[in-house]
Amino acid sequence: MSDRVSQLIDSIKFKALELHQELQSERIKSNHLEEELMKIKSEINAKSAEIELSQKKITELGDQIKTLSEQKVDLSSVNDISDEQIDELVKEIEFCIAQLNQ
């Protein structure tokens, strides 16, 4: 019986060593996966910051477009007034020329 017990103990030791090696291997894999996860999280944070910056730029450009559109409308009304003033000046000059010719 002592041989049988010795064999069982050796078998248990062998299985325990195998399990220990597998555990060590899985711990190493787990550490690598955790490192990879941290790297990916860092990349996600960087991309999120980049997206936020891009969204701010888009908003700023939209505001600039709106402002430029409003300025264009304002400038066109200024040009209308200038055209009217030019027409009035032309009429006055024509009137003055007509008066001088008489």
Side-chain angles (χ1 to χ4, degrees):
M1 215 133 349
S2 72
D3 280 343
R4 178 74 180 138
V5 171
S6 179
Q7 285 179 342
L8 287 174
I9 291 173
D10 288 342
S11 174
I12 291 171
K13 283 182 182 178
F14 180 74
K15 287 183 181 181
L17 285 174
E18 282 182 337
L19 289 173
H20 179 70
Q21 288 175 350
E22 287 180 25
L23 177 64
Q24 292 295 80
S25 175
E26 291 302 318
R27 282 183 179 161
I28 290 170
K29 287 180 186 178
S30 176
N31 286 338
H32 287 296
L33 289 174
E34 284 182 21
E35 289 173 4
E36 188 175 343
L37 178 63
M38 294 297 286
K39 182 179 176 183
I40 291 171
K41 283 182 178 179
S42 174
E43 290 174 2
I44 288 172
N45 288 339
K47 293 294 180 184
S48 295
E50 189 176 323
I51 288 170
E52 282 184 37
L53 182 63
S54 295
Q55 287 175 337
K56 286 180 183 177
K57 285 182 180 179
I58 288 170
T59 303
E60 288 174 5
L61 290 173
D63 291 344
Q64 287 178 357
I65 289 172
K66 184 178 178 182
T67 302
L68 289 173
S69 295
E70 290 171 355
Q71 286 177 352
K72 183 178 178 183
V73 169
D74 290 344
L75 288 176
S76 65
S77 64
V78 168
N79 285 339
D80 289 342
I81 294 172
S82 295
D83 288 342
E84 290 173 6
Q85 289 175 344
I86 290 172
D87 289 341
E88 288 178 22
L89 288 173
V90 168
K91 287 178 183 177
E92 285 182 34
I93 291 171
E94 289 174 349
F95 177 76
C96 290
I97 291 174
Q99 291 292 326
L100 288 174
N101 285 337
Q102 290 177 357

